[in-house]
Amino acid sequence: MSPRGALRLEYFIIGLGIFALLLIFQPFSLHLFAVGGVLVIVAGLINNLLPLAQPGVPVRSVVTVGMVVLMIFLIVLLVSIAAAHLYGVFFLKPPDPNTTAGKVQLATPPFWSQPLVWGITGVTALLAVLITAMNRSRG
């Protein structure tokens, strides 16, 4: 990476965090607040790339580390979904089938059959395969 590219990457990472904070603390719109909340998470994850924003670091290394950070985030997301489900199973009373809310809760498919969970799992597996292929092709 060239010195100019490293400086641009560093400014982008820091600028994204500042922009996210500005969106969170603006008093005008809840939609902008929501976008800012998502951007804070994204900026926090991208902030892990800041040590690599130095001249001479290959761009391929930055991309590989970014993919590893994303994969770790997705794994943590899957674990948190499973933990929330297990919390409900062990600590909350079961839904009452005599109420409308209970019927809806009982008709809901389990968390492991939801498209979101399978999508996250698929992206995580794809990232693992891509990272492995990139590391094998390098060495």
Short mmCIF file of all heavy atoms in Angstrom, two decimals, residues 52 64 97:
data_model
loop_
_atom_site.label_atom_id
_atom_site.label_comp_id
_atom_site.label_asym_id
_atom_site.label_seq_id
_atom_site.Cartn_x
_atom_site.Cartn_y
_atom_site.Cartn_z
N LEU A 52 -3.25 -1.63 10.30
CA LEU A 52 -2.73 -2.03 8.99
C LEU A 52 -2.66 -0.87 8.00
O LEU A 52 -2.19 -1.04 6.88
CB LEU A 52 -3.59 -3.14 8.40
CG LEU A 52 -3.61 -4.44 9.20
CD1 LEU A 52 -4.60 -5.41 8.59
CD2 LEU A 52 -2.23 -5.04 9.28
N THR A 64 -7.78 -9.57 3.89
CA THR A 64 -7.86 -10.81 4.65
C THR A 64 -8.24 -10.54 6.11
O THR A 64 -9.11 -11.21 6.65
CB THR A 64 -6.52 -11.57 4.60
OG1 THR A 64 -6.19 -11.82 3.24
CG2 THR A 64 -6.60 -12.88 5.35
N PRO A 97 -51.15 -21.60 25.20
CA PRO A 97 -51.82 -21.87 23.93
C PRO A 97 -53.27 -21.39 23.88
O PRO A 97 -53.90 -21.42 22.83
CB PRO A 97 -51.75 -23.39 23.80
CG PRO A 97 -51.51 -23.90 25.16
CD PRO A 97 -50.84 -22.81 25.94
#
